Amino acid sequence: KNQVEQSPQSLIILEGKNCTLQCNYTVSPFSNLRWYKQDTGRGPVSLTIMTFSENTKSNGRYTATLDADTKQSSLHITASQLSDSASYICVPQTGANNLFFGTGTRLTVIP
Amino acid sequence: EAGVVQSPRYKIIEKKQPVAFWCNPISGHNTLYWYRQNLGQGPELLIRYENEEAVDDSQLPKDRFSAERLKGVDSTLKIQPAELGDSAVYLCASSSSTVATQYFGPGTRLLVL
């Protein structure tokens, strides 16, 4: 069964601190994995995309990692800013072009 | 470049009433998606179009939901009649192909009373 589990469900951190969000998936056949950021009241916006051969991908202060063997991915946010407050959604995709959205991690950055 | 445009942004209706949502994808994007997102959940695919053809509508509740993309550009999603459980955010997304990154619109927040 294709599943995506994200942890933690929610997270509160102080501005300037780092954090890491986790994603475990059981999606087959695996093609790639994206991380999306969704601000409240907005549609999701793609942050990174990694194929099975890529271990890490960065986009500014966001760094995603992928271990296709253990079916795990993480999103690391460095030097958090208030504008990082959002939901972060892990989205693995199969070779048949089906996307599976996780329920997301709700991040709140406080001053 | 304009992003995906959706209207209305908000809609409040009474149960059993019809409702329609409109989406204008990014210019040149052949693939269009409609998703439903419940509070605290990730988006769930309702239907995917390749140009004007619906290539994946397996998750669309066809007894009350319908969609069309007549000229392969704009799309409408309709619910008739609406039920209380249809309250959600309806997101439209588009991409240049099925393997390319999807770009999402702001969504239409529907509340059924």
Side-chain angles (χ1 to χ4, degrees):
Chain A
K1 182 179 179 182
N2 295 308
Q3 287 186 316
V4 183
E5 295 183 352
Q6 293 189 240
S7 62
Q9 189 173 32
S10 61
L11 182 63
I12 301 174
I13 62 173
L14 291 173
E15 184 180 12
K17 297 297 185 181
N18 305 334
C19 66
T20 300
L21 315 180
Q22 301 290 343
C23 174
N24 295 335
Y25 62 91
T26 55
V27 167
S28 181
F30 176 77
S31 174
N32 59 64
L33 186 144
R34 292 177 171 86
W35 281 92
Y36 278 88
K37 177 186 179 185
Q38 186 173 22
D39 293 309
T40 300
R42 309 291 291 273
V45 175
S46 179
L47 292 175
T48 63
I49 176 173
M50 290 177 292
T51 63
F52 65 89
S53 61
E54 295 177 292
N55 299 120
T56 185
K57 181 71 70 73
S58 292
N59 178 2
R61 293 179 297 102
Y62 301 103
T63 299
T65 65
L66 174 66
D67 186 333
D69 291 331
T70 62
K71 295 184 168 65
Q72 295 179 325
S73 178
S74 67
L75 181 68
H76 185 76
I77 305 176
T78 303
S80 61
Q81 300 176 358
L82 298 179
S83 59
D84 292 332
S85 295
S87 287
Y88 292 84
I89 306 174
C90 172
V91 189
Q93 182 171 356
T94 69
N97 298 324
N98 294 316
L99 276 72
F100 295 88
F101 287 79
T103 56
T105 292
R106 179 69 201 175
L107 175 66
T108 302
V109 181
I110 58 176
Chain B
E1 178 184 291
V4 176
V5 179
Q6 290 188 248
S7 68
R9 290 296 313 277
Y10 306 92
K11 189 74 175 179
I12 301 175
I13 61 172
E14 293 185 342
K15 63 181 180 181
K16 301 184 181 180
Q17 295 301 305
V19 64
F21 313 125
W22 176 79
C23 173
N24 180 241
I26 292 174
S27 178
H29 280 191
N30 298 325
T31 309
L32 183 146
Y33 311 77
W34 281 104
Y35 290 89
R36 176 171 58 191
Q37 186 174 25
N38 292 308
L39 188 64
Q41 301 295 313
E44 298 174 319
L45 180 68
L46 292 174
I47 190 169
R48 173 166 61 96
Y49 281 94
E50 293 293 335
N51 297 303
E52 65 274 11
E53 181 182 0
V55 297
D56 184 358
D57 63 355
S58 57
Q59 301 303 311
L60 189 73
K62 298 181 182 63
D63 57 334
R64 297 183 300 106
F65 286 65
S66 64
E68 60 182 15
R69 193 184 184 199
L70 293 177
K71 296 184 179 180
V73 181
D74 295 0
S75 177
T76 57
L77 177 69
K78 299 178 181 178
I79 308 174
Q80 183 172 10
E83 297 179 351
L84 296 178
D86 295 332
S87 295
V89 175
Y90 291 83
L91 293 164
C92 178
S94 70
S95 63
S96 57
S97 71
T98 54
V99 297
T101 297
Q102 296 180 29
Y103 293 85
F104 285 82
T108 294
R109 184 174 298 275
L110 173 67
L111 179 60
V112 182
L113 302 176

Short mmCIF file of all heavy atoms in Angstrom, two decimals, chain B residues 13 16-21 36 46 61 64-66 77-83 86-87 90 110 112:
data_model
loop_
_atom_site.label_atom_id
_atom_site.label_comp_id
_atom_site.label_asym_id
_atom_site.label_seq_id
_atom_site.Cartn_x
_atom_site.Cartn_y
_atom_site.Cartn_z
N ILE B 13 -22.22 27.98 0.64
CA ILE B 13 -23.51 27.59 0.08
C ILE B 13 -24.24 26.70 1.07
O ILE B 13 -23.63 26.17 2.01
CB ILE B 13 -23.36 26.84 -1.26
CG1 ILE B 13 -22.55 25.54 -1.06
CG2 ILE B 13 -22.72 27.72 -2.31
CD1 ILE B 13 -22.51 24.66 -2.28
N LYS B 16 -27.14 20.78 -0.67
CA LYS B 16 -28.03 20.45 -1.79
C LYS B 16 -27.98 21.48 -2.91
O LYS B 16 -28.58 21.25 -3.96
CB LYS B 16 -29.48 20.23 -1.35
CG LYS B 16 -29.65 19.10 -0.33
CD LYS B 16 -31.11 18.86 0.00
CE LYS B 16 -31.24 17.75 1.03
NZ LYS B 16 -32.67 17.49 1.37
N GLN B 17 -27.27 22.58 -2.72
CA GLN B 17 -27.11 23.57 -3.78
C GLN B 17 -25.95 23.18 -4.69
O GLN B 17 -25.03 22.47 -4.28
CB GLN B 17 -26.87 24.95 -3.19
CG GLN B 17 -28.04 25.51 -2.40
CD GLN B 17 -29.28 25.61 -3.26
OE1 GLN B 17 -29.27 26.22 -4.33
NE2 GLN B 17 -30.36 25.00 -2.80
N PRO B 18 -25.97 23.65 -5.95
CA PRO B 18 -24.84 23.41 -6.84
C PRO B 18 -23.76 24.46 -6.64
O PRO B 18 -24.03 25.56 -6.15
CB PRO B 18 -25.47 23.54 -8.23
CG PRO B 18 -26.56 24.54 -8.03
CD PRO B 18 -27.09 24.30 -6.63
N VAL B 19 -22.53 24.12 -7.03
CA VAL B 19 -21.42 25.08 -6.95
C VAL B 19 -20.43 24.74 -8.05
O VAL B 19 -20.30 23.57 -8.45
CB VAL B 19 -20.75 25.04 -5.56
CG1 VAL B 19 -20.10 23.69 -5.30
CG2 VAL B 19 -19.74 26.17 -5.41
N ALA B 20 -19.75 25.75 -8.55
CA ALA B 20 -18.77 25.55 -9.62
C ALA B 20 -17.52 26.34 -9.32
O ALA B 20 -17.58 27.46 -8.80
CB ALA B 20 -19.35 25.96 -10.97
N PHE B 21 -16.38 25.74 -9.66
CA PHE B 21 -15.09 26.40 -9.47
C PHE B 21 -14.42 26.51 -10.83
O PHE B 21 -14.56 25.62 -11.68
CB PHE B 21 -14.19 25.57 -8.54
CG PHE B 21 -14.86 25.08 -7.30
CD1 PHE B 21 -14.87 23.73 -6.97
CD2 PHE B 21 -15.50 25.97 -6.44
CE1 PHE B 21 -15.49 23.28 -5.83
CE2 PHE B 21 -16.13 25.51 -5.29
CZ PHE B 21 -16.12 24.16 -4.99
N ARG B 36 -8.58 18.09 -3.86
CA ARG B 36 -9.37 18.51 -2.70
C ARG B 36 -8.47 18.37 -1.48
O ARG B 36 -7.80 17.35 -1.31
CB ARG B 36 -10.62 17.65 -2.54
CG ARG B 36 -11.44 17.98 -1.29
CD ARG B 36 -12.77 17.26 -1.30
NE ARG B 36 -12.63 15.81 -1.39
CZ ARG B 36 -13.65 14.99 -1.63
NH1 ARG B 36 -14.86 15.47 -1.80
NH2 ARG B 36 -13.45 13.68 -1.68
N LEU B 46 -8.38 14.64 -7.52
CA LEU B 46 -9.73 14.33 -7.99
C LEU B 46 -9.71 13.93 -9.46
O LEU B 46 -10.34 12.93 -9.85
CB LEU B 46 -10.64 15.54 -7.80
CG LEU B 46 -10.97 15.95 -6.37
CD1 LEU B 46 -11.77 17.25 -6.35
CD2 LEU B 46 -11.74 14.84 -5.66
N PRO B 61 -15.75 11.60 -7.28
CA PRO B 61 -17.08 11.04 -6.95
C PRO B 61 -18.07 11.41 -8.05
O PRO B 61 -18.70 12.46 -8.02
CB PRO B 61 -17.43 11.72 -5.62
CG PRO B 61 -16.14 12.29 -5.11
CD PRO B 61 -15.34 12.65 -6.33
N ARG B 64 -21.83 13.08 -7.98
CA ARG B 64 -22.15 14.49 -7.73
C ARG B 64 -21.12 15.45 -8.29
O ARG B 64 -21.37 16.64 -8.39
CB ARG B 64 -22.28 14.71 -6.23
CG ARG B 64 -23.41 13.93 -5.57
CD ARG B 64 -23.54 14.27 -4.08
NE ARG B 64 -22.32 13.95 -3.36
CZ ARG B 64 -21.46 14.87 -2.91
NH1 ARG B 64 -21.71 16.15 -3.12
NH2 ARG B 64 -20.39 14.51 -2.24
N PHE B 65 -19.94 14.96 -8.64
CA PHE B 65 -18.87 15.81 -9.15
C PHE B 65 -18.74 15.64 -10.66
O PHE B 65 -18.84 14.53 -11.18
CB PHE B 65 -17.53 15.46 -8.49
CG PHE B 65 -17.37 15.91 -7.07
CD1 PHE B 65 -18.17 15.38 -6.06
CD2 PHE B 65 -16.42 16.85 -6.72
CE1 PHE B 65 -18.03 15.79 -4.74
CE2 PHE B 65 -16.26 17.26 -5.41
CZ PHE B 65 -17.06 16.73 -4.42
N SER B 66 -18.46 16.76 -11.33
CA SER B 66 -18.16 16.70 -12.75
C SER B 66 -17.12 17.76 -13.06
O SER B 66 -16.99 18.75 -12.34
CB SER B 66 -19.41 16.92 -13.60
OG SER B 66 -19.92 18.21 -13.39
N LEU B 77 -14.84 22.79 -12.30
CA LEU B 77 -15.20 21.66 -11.46
C LEU B 77 -16.53 21.98 -10.82
O LEU B 77 -16.70 23.06 -10.27
CB LEU B 77 -14.14 21.43 -10.38
CG LEU B 77 -14.42 20.32 -9.37
CD1 LEU B 77 -14.34 18.95 -10.05
CD2 LEU B 77 -13.42 20.38 -8.21
N LYS B 78 -17.48 21.06 -10.94
CA LYS B 78 -18.83 21.32 -10.44
C LYS B 78 -19.22 20.24 -9.43
O LYS B 78 -18.87 19.07 -9.57
CB LYS B 78 -19.84 21.33 -11.59
CG LYS B 78 -19.58 22.41 -12.62
CD LYS B 78 -20.59 22.34 -13.76
CE LYS B 78 -20.32 23.40 -14.82
NZ LYS B 78 -21.25 23.33 -15.96
N ILE B 79 -19.99 20.69 -8.44
CA ILE B 79 -20.57 19.77 -7.45
C ILE B 79 -22.07 20.03 -7.44
O ILE B 79 -22.51 21.16 -7.29
CB ILE B 79 -20.01 20.01 -6.04
CG1 ILE B 79 -18.48 20.00 -6.03
CG2 ILE B 79 -20.53 18.92 -5.09
CD1 ILE B 79 -17.87 20.36 -4.68
N GLN B 80 -22.85 18.96 -7.63
CA GLN B 80 -24.30 19.09 -7.63
C GLN B 80 -24.96 17.78 -7.27
O GLN B 80 -24.82 16.80 -8.03
CB GLN B 80 -24.79 19.58 -9.00
CG GLN B 80 -26.29 19.80 -9.04
CD GLN B 80 -26.76 20.47 -10.34
OE1 GLN B 80 -26.00 20.59 -11.30
NE2 GLN B 80 -28.00 20.90 -10.36
N PRO B 81 -25.63 17.70 -6.13
CA PRO B 81 -25.76 18.73 -5.10
C PRO B 81 -24.63 18.64 -4.08
O PRO B 81 -24.05 17.57 -3.87
CB PRO B 81 -27.09 18.35 -4.45
CG PRO B 81 -27.10 16.85 -4.54
CD PRO B 81 -26.42 16.51 -5.84
N ALA B 82 -24.30 19.75 -3.45
CA ALA B 82 -23.24 19.75 -2.45
C ALA B 82 -23.73 19.15 -1.15
O ALA B 82 -24.91 19.26 -0.78
CB ALA B 82 -22.75 21.18 -2.22
N GLU B 83 -22.80 18.49 -0.45
CA GLU B 83 -23.08 17.90 0.86
C GLU B 83 -22.16 18.54 1.90
O GLU B 83 -21.14 19.14 1.55
CB GLU B 83 -22.86 16.38 0.83
CG GLU B 83 -23.79 15.65 -0.12
CD GLU B 83 -23.53 14.16 -0.15
OE1 GLU B 83 -22.52 13.71 0.45
OE2 GLU B 83 -24.34 13.44 -0.77
N ASP B 86 -18.46 18.05 1.75
CA ASP B 86 -17.69 18.62 0.63
C ASP B 86 -16.94 19.88 1.04
O ASP B 86 -16.15 20.40 0.25
CB ASP B 86 -18.63 18.96 -0.53
CG ASP B 86 -19.29 17.73 -1.13
OD1 ASP B 86 -18.68 16.65 -1.08
OD2 ASP B 86 -20.41 17.86 -1.66
N SER B 87 -17.17 20.35 2.25
CA SER B 87 -16.45 21.53 2.73
C SER B 87 -14.96 21.22 2.75
O SER B 87 -14.51 20.28 3.42
CB SER B 87 -16.92 21.92 4.13
OG SER B 87 -18.27 22.32 4.12
N TYR B 90 -10.46 23.49 -2.60
CA TYR B 90 -10.31 22.85 -3.91
C TYR B 90 -9.18 23.55 -4.65
O TYR B 90 -9.26 24.74 -4.96
CB TYR B 90 -11.62 22.88 -4.68
CG TYR B 90 -12.64 21.97 -4.02
CD1 TYR B 90 -13.39 22.41 -2.93
CD2 TYR B 90 -12.80 20.65 -4.44
CE1 TYR B 90 -14.28 21.56 -2.29
CE2 TYR B 90 -13.69 19.79 -3.80
CZ TYR B 90 -14.42 20.25 -2.72
OH TYR B 90 -15.30 19.41 -2.08
N LEU B 110 -14.36 26.16 0.12
CA LEU B 110 -15.81 25.92 0.08
C LEU B 110 -16.31 25.56 1.47
O LEU B 110 -15.75 24.70 2.14
CB LEU B 110 -16.14 24.78 -0.89
CG LEU B 110 -17.61 24.33 -0.91
CD1 LEU B 110 -18.50 25.42 -1.46
CD2 LEU B 110 -17.77 23.04 -1.71
N VAL B 112 -19.92 24.37 3.14
CA VAL B 112 -21.30 23.93 2.90
C VAL B 112 -22.03 23.91 4.23
O VAL B 112 -21.61 23.23 5.16
CB VAL B 112 -21.34 22.54 2.24
CG1 VAL B 112 -22.79 22.14 1.97
CG2 VAL B 112 -20.54 22.53 0.94
#
